[in-house]
Amino acid sequence: MKNYFTEDDEKLKWITGDTKTLLKTIVCDVTSQHNTAQNGIEGDYIIMDAPDWVIVIPEENENFLMVKQWRHGEKSLSVEFPGGVIDKNEKPEIAAIRELQEETGFIAEKLTKLGMANPNPALFSNHVHVYLAENLKSTGIQHLDQDEFINYIEIPKEEVLKGMGTDEFPHALMSTALCFYLKYKIKIGI
């Protein structure tokens, strides 16, 4: 892929200075970074330090296996691809296998990494890793966390594509995952 950054862009970079933790939570630490621009301007910037996440796109013929769950920030139900937090010292692909089985009770015979992105580089320091899961086999057993309440459903791919960005499919990272999926399918000519 072409590199879009030039030598002239070096002046856009900031130098990270002192960092202090303002708040520790279960999902992320909120930190303040004192950063300096190349021209000497300084400022304090809020960053959310969170573990990396994983999203799994389980493909079953012309359908996706999706999960339905409550999202506290949105205060509503959401239809999404399975996914979650990558545990400390866990490889992303192992987290993808684990999250798929925990949330749906399915395992994949084939797992392909589709891409990685920062959920919001202005605020977050982590990344989301996206995988395609194929040749699914049901174990018949979900392994949900104590505070996880999830139903899963097969939905035709076309409906998922049409639904992204609606009230039922509000999660922006699901659109990112779907974009990686479409890029992969176009690249391999399917």
Side-chain angles (χ1 to χ4, degrees):
M1 188 174 116
K2 180 181 175 180
N3 180 3
Y4 292 98
F5 298 115
T6 65
E7 194 174 305
D8 189 49
D9 295 326
E10 289 298 310
K11 66 183 175 205
L12 303 175
K13 293 182 178 180
W14 289 62
I15 298 165
T16 302
D18 293 335
T19 301
K20 76 179 150 177
T21 302
L22 303 175
L23 176 66
K24 285 184 149 316
T25 74
I26 291 173
V27 294
C28 72
D29 292 345
V30 180
T31 62
S32 175
Q33 290 181 353
H34 188 79
N35 297 340
T36 307
Q38 297 294 325
N39 68 359
I41 292 177
E42 297 181 29
D44 293 323
Y45 296 87
I46 301 299
I47 306 296
M48 287 178 259
D49 288 318
D52 280 6
W53 306 321
V54 66
I55 295 173
V56 185
I57 301 177
E59 181 180 56
E60 187 72 4
N61 299 315
E62 292 305 310
N63 298 323
F64 290 128
L65 184 61
M66 308 288 289
V67 296
K68 299 180 282 184
Q69 61 188 316
W70 179 259
R71 289 304 192 183
H72 296 281
E74 185 73 9
K75 297 180 185 72
S76 69
L77 292 170
S78 179
V79 179
E80 305 172 5
F81 296 114
V85 175
I86 299 173
D87 292 336
K88 188 174 183 174
N89 299 320
E90 185 178 38
K91 292 183 178 180
E93 62 272 15
I94 300 301
I97 293 165
R98 176 181 52 75
E99 286 290 344
L100 175 63
Q101 188 170 8
E102 283 179 5
E103 294 189 358
T104 68
F106 281 80
I107 56 174
E109 291 181 353
K110 182 179 178 188
L111 192 70
T112 305
K113 186 160 188 175
L114 300 180
M116 179 181 75
N118 182 303
N120 183 343
L123 299 173
F124 283 92
S125 64
N126 67 332
H127 293 88
V128 60
H129 304 260
V130 179
Y131 288 87
L132 172 62
E134 299 172 281
N135 304 332
L136 304 177
K137 305 288 182 215
S138 176
T139 67
I141 302 169
Q142 288 174 291
H143 297 282
L144 301 174
D145 294 337
Q146 183 179 356
D147 65 344
E148 253 182 339
F149 305 97
I150 293 175
N151 291 331
Y152 61 89
I153 184 174
E154 277 192 40
I155 302 177
K157 293 176 187 176
E158 187 175 314
E159 287 183 31
V160 173
L161 187 58
K162 288 178 184 176
M164 282 297 157
T166 65
D167 288 346
E168 289 184 315
F169 297 83
H171 198 313
L173 289 178
M174 298 307 127
S175 297
T176 300
L178 189 58
C179 181
F180 280 129
Y181 172 83
L182 294 172
K183 177 179 150 184
Y184 174 76
K185 290 297 182 174
I186 290 168
K187 180 178 173 185
I188 64 169
I190 294 179

